[in-house]
Amino acid sequence: MGDTLMSLLSHTNPGFIVILAGMLAYVIRGEIPRAVVTIGGPLLGLAALVLHSALSEPLATLNMMDMTFVLYQVERVSIVFGLAFLIAATVNSIFALHNKDPLQDSMALIYAGAAIAATFAGDLITVFVFWELTAVSSVFLILKSGTPEAYKASMRYLGIQILSGVLLLMGATFIMGEFGTLEFDAFISEGEGLSLQDDPGAIFLFVALGIKAAFPLLHNWLQDSYSKATHTGSVVLSAFTTKLAVYALWRFFPGEDSLIWIGAIMTVFPVFFAVIENDLRKVLAYSLNNQVGFMVCAIGIGTPLALNGAAAHAFAHIIYKGLLFMSMGAVMYRVGTTKATELGGLYRTMPFTAIFCIIGAASISAFPLFSGFVAKSLTMSAVGYEHMTIIWMMLLFASAGVLEHSGIKIPFFAFFAHDSGKRPKEAPFNMLLAMGIASFFCIWIGFPFLGGTEFLYGLLPYRDEAMVYLEQSLWTTDHVLTQMQLLVFAALAFIVLNRVKLYPPEKRGVVLDFDWVYRRPLYHALVWTGAVWSKAGPAMTGAALRLSRRVYNRIEATFSPQGELSRGPLSAGMAIWTSIVLAIVMVLALIVGPH
């Protein structure tokens, strides 16, 4: 019996287990039983991943409609993303234990499970199914805020995510026509992906992934929705959607040159919005854009060191970004807002939350001895080794910007700065426990001699190259001092600018982003269309009905059994119509036929 269970677990996609736990979480009543399910589901998924029995071989397949669907296939890069997703799902469930909302618990797990299942899928149709499931399930985490703004944001979020899925399906259709199958092994190989040159399937797929990864000009759904989700929902959202897209880019487009510049731009432009944004959860959303840019840029470079950097950065980012969103979620839960203008001085009554926030801030800023340093260093070194001077300077500027808006602004304005006079209680124990676990990973992975760095580097797709880098480059004096100089000067710049009143102060207001360019005109266009239709609609409808009735009557008078063409023997009219139809057919054959 035990051997059968172990064999079943080793051949079961961990995402299926988490999705099943999500379904059970909705129907199970009682806080303790639901807690067992919400935490136990991801832990059981972790056990299934640990027990997986083979690499690069389909472990579970389904044959249907003359197609093979690979439901479970483990690759080295899948392990990195899948393990991070499972850890995040477990920690997120602990963080949400105080909730008494079965729907949120259920949707959070189904969303996480869908992302995990897609990570271990081996064909595009299976990925598409779970791609869409992530969109449908995650929208409830925004809707449950219950505000009109959250409702509007959730509808926009759902629309853009569904569009991403439709484009992915269109890409899959073209790929199916070209290769005759949608199994990954048939059209991609390790280190080599799809080409955007003269391949419409790859182009559709690229745009679909770009939407979900929040490429520049396609990014506004992220800031729009994450800042309006529930205090636990934003934590869950931060972990899965964009990183699932990063995983897919890693698999399908490694070495795609356009990703280098796309990623570099992604790292830079959010800095300018984040430093003037008042809502700290929206600051974190811009920061998420920035961090994903590092991963996208590394994927575009495509060398083993760079691809290791993208995977390591994603793993570390899922944890420390979740920690920062958890700290702001705790503030939201206790204070009811994350607006910088309404916060400050919270360290007095929320000291543990403040400490955990600082750990997350140090990690995302890539301070030595924290997880962000050991992850981001791979990408920065890969750019340097390729002598991409402009790209390296852009990433260096973005790294300094991260310290400004996430490393300093988030903890400073939330817990220190001016005293808002608010004295909320410390976060509930379950929230502190979740933040403590995430903080442990941030320190364990980044601190030498604890074994965390070796563990992370040992998971990476190009393990040998990672271990050589760890032994020869990571902890060199030049490398550590260069990073510390960057961080110290960035911190000094913040202090000086803040002292002389040149740093953008926290202000109430709305920061306009690129979506203003199309949302405002579209809104006015819809209002104008509605006004015109309210006046001209009835008349136009009546005219259209009268015209269609006249056309129908004319067709009936001509072609019906009693019509003109049916009177008597073959008439001249019938001959004329036959000639016209034949001419049309011949012209069409000439145009579309073989040349």
Side-chain angles (χ1 to χ4, degrees), residues 13 16 57-63 67-74 117-118 120-127 130 181-185:
N13 188 321
F16 297 170
E57 296 179 9
L59 297 175
T61 59
L62 175 65
N63 295 310
M67 295 179 64
T68 299
F69 303 99
V70 182
L71 305 181
Y72 187 29
Q73 182 169 315
V74 181
F120 290 107
D123 70 274
L124 275 178
I125 289 297
T126 304
V127 169
F130 293 115
T181 180
L182 294 176
E183 297 177 53
F184 293 166
D185 291 343

Side-chain angles (χ1 to χ4, degrees), residues 231-430:
H231 68 279
T232 55
S234 60
V235 178
V236 181
L237 289 168
S238 71
F240 301 105
T241 298
T242 52
K243 264 63 71 183
L244 176 59
V246 169
Y247 162 77
L249 287 169
W250 200 106
R251 291 297 305 274
F252 299 137
F253 297 102
E256 171 55 47
D257 290 342
S258 61
L259 289 176
I260 299 174
W261 284 101
I262 291 173
I265 294 169
M266 283 180 72
T267 66
V268 172
F269 84 84
V271 173
F272 300 99
F273 290 99
V275 296
I276 61 174
E277 177 59 55
N278 186 38
D279 187 338
L280 296 184
R281 288 203 296 175
K282 190 172 283 190
V283 172
L284 288 176
Y286 277 116
S287 174
L288 194 154
N289 249 143
N290 162 281
Q291 294 291 289
V292 170
F294 281 91
M295 306 170 207
V296 171
C297 184
I299 293 169
I301 294 170
T303 62
L305 183 61
L307 292 174
N308 275 344
H313 201 153
F315 186 99
H317 177 264
I318 288 169
I319 297 172
Y320 62 62
K321 181 63 73 175
L323 175 57
L324 287 168
F325 267 104
M326 280 189 276
S327 65
M328 290 302 100
V331 169
M332 184 78 179
Y333 179 68
R334 287 304 194 198
V335 181
T337 183
T338 54
K339 300 290 180 65
T341 50
E342 301 173 33
L343 300 177
L346 300 186
Y347 75 93
R348 292 177 171 85
T349 55
M350 302 183 73
F352 291 109
T353 302
I355 291 171
F356 293 139
C357 182
I358 292 171
I359 293 173
S363 298
I364 196 173
S365 302
F367 268 92
L369 309 183
F370 291 89
S371 59
F373 175 76
V374 304
K376 189 183 292 184
S377 295
L378 291 162
T379 297
M380 295 298 292
S381 296
V383 174
Y385 292 160
E386 297 301 311
H387 305 291
M388 298 178 178
T389 305
I390 296 177
I391 298 296
W392 190 83
M393 293 295 291
M394 293 174 71
L395 298 190
L396 199 65
F397 169 81
S399 298
V402 171
L403 177 65
E404 297 287 349
H405 59 67
S406 290
I408 297 177
K409 179 173 181 173
I410 294 292
F412 180 72
F413 285 117
F415 298 100
F416 305 98
H418 57 77
D419 188 356
S420 63
K422 294 180 172 67
R423 298 292 184 267
K425 294 181 180 179
E426 179 58 278
F429 174 75
N430 66 288

